[in-house]
Amino acid sequence: ATASFVGTMRDFNAGDRVNAMFLEHYPSMTEKYLQKLVSETNSAFGLLDSLIVHRVGEIRPADPIVLIACWSAHRAAAFDACRHAMEKLKSEAPFWKKERLEESSRWVSGLTSE
């Protein structure tokens, strides 16, 4: 079974229209985190394999940001693992987001689980 998720950039946040976002990271720190998340997810859900690809840099609304794919002998494990990996990624990954609004920009503070 294969379950996959593609996350795209929204054009709104905190009640404001967002025109673009710049996603920053420290490559070695982020890559280490993503490798650890893949390994832990594979082990916890008994996966055959999984993959996480995350963009950085300038991103615009509707652009894809993240791809998560999970392969398992059974669909339930693949679906559950895919959701688990996305939730961990969204709430713990070392990325920093700066949103560009109509007349200003702002750093996004705090991590979300939705």
Side-chain angles (χ1 to χ4, degrees):
T2 303
S4 63
F5 173 82
V6 175
T8 56
M9 185 188 154
R10 295 183 299 241
D11 63 352
F12 64 92
N13 188 32
D16 295 314
R17 181 169 169 73
V18 178
N19 295 324
M21 176 175 61
F22 192 83
L23 207 56
E24 286 196 27
H25 75 305
Y26 294 111
S28 62
M29 176 190 284
T30 303
E31 290 166 14
K32 183 178 177 181
Y33 175 82
L34 294 177
Q35 290 170 354
K36 179 181 173 199
L37 179 56
V38 163
S39 178
E40 289 176 353
T41 301
N42 289 351
S43 179
F45 292 88
L47 299 181
L48 302 170
D49 205 357
S50 63
L51 171 72
I52 300 173
V53 178
H54 205 294
R55 291 182 56 193
V56 294
E58 183 83 6
I59 302 169
R60 301 204 174 270
D63 284 352
I65 298 173
V66 63
L67 164 69
I68 297 178
C70 298
W71 294 273
S72 173
H74 302 285
R75 69 180 178 272
F79 280 125
D80 292 346
C82 194
R83 181 176 185 95
H84 167 82
M86 187 62 229
E87 296 302 327
K88 296 289 272 186
L89 183 69
K90 190 77 170 157
S91 65
E92 297 178 3
F95 291 102
W96 294 270
K97 300 174 185 178
K98 188 172 190 177
E99 295 176 333
R100 193 170 70 226
L101 310 175
E102 280 298 317
E103 297 184 23
S104 64
S105 62
R106 65 181 175 206
W107 288 99
V108 176
S109 61
L111 302 170
T112 62
S113 62
E114 293 183 23

